[in-house]
Amino acid sequence: MRDALNRGLIDFLKASPTPFHATASIVRRLEAAGYQRLDERDSWTTAPAGRYYVTRNDSSIIAIQLGKQSPLLGGLRIVGAHTDSPCLRVKPQPELQRHGFLQLGVEVYGGALLAPWFDRDLSLAGRVTFRRDGKVESQLIDFKLPIAIVPNLAIHLNRGANEGWPINPQNELPPILAQVAGDERVDFRAVLTEQLAREHDLNADVVLDYELSFYDTQDAAQIGLHGEFVAGARLDNLLSCFAGLQALLAADSDETCVLVCTDHEEVGSCSACGADGPMLEQTLQRLLPDHADYVRSIQRSLLISADNAHGVHPNYADKHDGNHGPKLNAGPVIKVNSNQRYATNSETAGFFRHLCMAEEVPVQSFVVRSDMGCGSTIGPITAGHLGVRTVDIGLPTFAMHSIRELCGSHDLAHLVKVLTAFYRSRDLP
């Protein structure tokens, strides 16, 4: 099971270079399992035990497996994660032609570790909006091939490179795509028009706009002397999206189960399709249109907010509280913060521990050092919007927000097992 899950994760990461592609990847797997699309612009007709999904902005998705009984009786079992990761986004007018090179201006999305982006083989993917035959359309594109690089400056010209130096995103991060002759001018939108024709056989009249991200073309891989680790891009947080999806597809529960994977967590979640927007609340209210019934169901429900945790790095162990240092391959981590940066409380943590004990899954705890700031997740945001009881958990990783992150190869199976048990659980606290 472990190796099959890790191979599935690696395939999922490769197919999901952007939140748009991640959502499309999830849709393909849901539809193969019999899930039906619900369009937010239409009226909905659903049936007990029905399987449905909703997307918004092509980058967020909610999958719902309705129970045989009403959520009024058993509540909702919700797993939440996010589809976005820190990256370099192409600017609207990006063309830079300097000293015979074509470069693209980029904006840093989220709290990225910038140094690892240098000297990597980069490709480009995302969503393009264009006009064709007088109509506005959108399409996902993925160049797939390595088409760009951000070369480092040689140490001979930067003698302090190994002593740490501030990276200027405006000046030092624009990737190089090509060499150009003297007066030659390259129109990036014309390049995108050619890509639409090559990838989708579409003859666009004009590219109107786009949301495109650079990504590392190196595939994720299971590594280590004994295959103990998985290294790859976007583990934060496609690792949790994949685990939640696998659990949902395996659960076949009598209860109502929900998987929500939203965009824009890395920039605060405040958007129409982010956790700090109305998407989940509006979706659930349409399934439970009576307000009193909706509130009663939410109060019988529980959310597991799944987002990666900081594992104890052997070179930087002093960055952790000595009693709360999660280890790779030692199971999922319950994340706790008294200042509500995580939404975990004693009851929700206790229930998650109970699930882990019943499934013989190891479980760990994380509390940030008292002299350091604490990150946050969609957990407190979703709990604040819905009023739903929440536990924040995640799998331990290294190099979070790097272009290539690292997790334990045993932990995915642990998380899928306990999330499947959660979806199947008959009684919530």
Side-chain angles (χ1 to χ4, degrees):
M1 178 183 178
R2 180 196 74 162
D3 290 341
L5 280 172
N6 287 326
R7 286 194 300 269
L9 172 64
I10 289 167
D11 290 343
F12 180 67
L13 293 171
K14 185 173 184 178
S16 308
T18 73
F20 303 112
H21 289 82
T23 298
S25 298
I26 294 170
V27 165
R28 286 193 295 272
R29 289 162 171 79
L30 290 172
E31 289 185 342
Y35 279 73
Q36 303 173 48
R37 182 185 185 91
L38 295 175
D39 192 320
E40 291 191 283
R41 296 166 293 185
D42 297 337
S43 59
W44 291 356
T45 301
T46 59
R51 298 178 176 187
Y52 308 97
Y53 71 90
V54 180
T55 64
R56 185 177 288 188
N57 190 50
D58 299 325
S59 62
S60 295
I61 186 166
I62 300 172
I64 305 144
Q65 178 184 294
L66 292 177
K68 296 176 182 177
Q69 63 177 350
S70 168
L72 277 171
L73 300 176
L76 306 165
R77 284 136 188 82
I78 309 171
V79 173
H82 64 88
T83 58
D84 60 320
S85 303
C87 62
L88 303 183
R89 293 274 175 91
V90 181
K91 291 182 175 180
Q93 296 171 246
E95 297 93 343
L96 300 171
Q97 296 191 209
R98 304 183 294 192
H99 301 282
F101 293 98
L102 170 65
Q103 298 174 269
L104 295 182
V106 292
E107 186 177 12
V108 178
Y109 176 88
L113 277 171
L114 297 181
W117 281 84
F118 287 82
D119 304 324
R120 308 293 298 192
D121 298 340
L122 304 178
S123 193
L124 195 60
R127 183 173 65 180
V128 177
T129 301
F130 54 93
R131 188 176 66 212
R132 183 172 63 147
D133 299 330
K135 296 182 179 179
V136 176
E137 303 177 30
S138 292
Q139 184 61 259
L140 304 190
I141 65 168
D142 182 0
F143 282 78
K144 294 185 179 178
L145 296 174
I147 62 169
I149 192 167
V150 185
N152 250 307
L153 183 63
I155 196 167
H156 313 77
L157 304 177
N158 184 11
R159 294 293 182 180
N162 292 328
E163 300 168 13
W165 85 100
I167 296 170
N168 185 305
Q170 176 71 18
N171 298 330
E172 298 178 86
L173 287 184
I176 294 174
L177 275 74
Q179 281 190 296
V180 290
D183 295 331
E184 179 187 359
R185 308 305 296 176
V186 177
D187 181 356
F188 180 59
R189 297 188 185 216
V191 173
L192 297 180
T193 302
E194 294 171 4
Q195 179 64 20
L196 285 168
R198 182 167 48 248
E199 187 174 342
H200 298 291
D201 197 25
L202 290 174
N203 294 315
D205 299 331
V206 61
V207 168
L208 300 169
D209 223 318
Y210 51 80
E211 295 167 83
L212 298 172
S213 305
F214 283 102
Y215 70 92
D216 185 7
T217 58
Q218 183 180 1
D219 289 346
Q222 191 167 335
I223 67 170
L225 190 61
H226 306 292
E228 303 99 323
F229 314 112
V230 174
R234 303 176 299 282
L235 290 175
D236 179 18
N237 188 27
L238 294 187
L239 174 61
S240 300
C241 293
F242 182 76
L245 176 63
Q246 294 301 115
L248 181 68
L249 296 179
D252 194 24
S253 177
D254 290 338
E255 308 297 336
T256 296
C257 302
V258 179
L259 173 66
V260 52
C261 300
T262 48
D263 197 358
H264 300 140
E265 190 275 343
E266 298 294 359
V267 292
S269 290
C270 186
S271 70
C273 61
D276 199 17
M279 183 183 179
L280 179 58
E281 187 173 13
Q282 289 175 348
T283 300
L284 297 180
Q285 285 177 342
R286 292 187 71 171
L287 297 174
L288 293 159
D290 182 88
H291 181 69
D293 288 349
Y294 169 77
V295 173
R296 290 167 61 197
S297 296
I298 290 296
Q299 293 308 309
R300 289 185 170 95
S301 302
L302 193 141
L303 164 69
I304 294 180
S305 166
D307 201 349
N308 298 14
H310 298 293
V312 175
H313 194 306
N315 298 344
Y316 306 95
D318 60 346
K319 296 296 183 180
H320 280 76
D321 180 290
N323 290 337
H324 302 92
K327 294 178 172 59
L328 272 63
N329 288 317
V333 179
I334 299 172
K335 300 192 282 189
V336 178
N337 182 261
S338 296
N339 295 302
Q340 293 299 295
R341 299 293 289 172
Y342 304 128
T344 305
N345 63 35
S346 59
E347 289 186 338
T348 59
F351 180 67
F352 189 79
R353 287 186 189 278
H354 161 72
L355 287 176
C356 290
M357 291 172 65
E359 296 299 316
E360 298 182 336
V361 168
V363 63
Q364 309 180 77
S365 296
F366 172 76
V367 180
V368 74
R369 284 178 57 109
S370 299
D371 55 0
M372 294 176 64
C374 182
S376 191
T377 71
I378 66 166
I381 295 170
T382 307
H385 276 281
L386 300 186
V388 65
R389 294 169 299 168
T390 301
V391 56
D392 271 297
I393 63 99
L395 293 183
T397 56
F398 292 161
M400 193 181 295
H401 289 196
S402 176
I403 197 170
R404 194 166 179 88
E405 300 161 322
L406 190 76
C407 68
S409 63
H410 296 271
D411 282 331
L412 175 58
H414 291 320
L415 183 56
V416 170
K417 189 175 184 181
V418 72
L419 292 182
T420 303
F422 169 61
Y423 278 139
R424 290 175 175 168
S425 60
R426 293 184 61 85
D427 299 311
L428 297 178

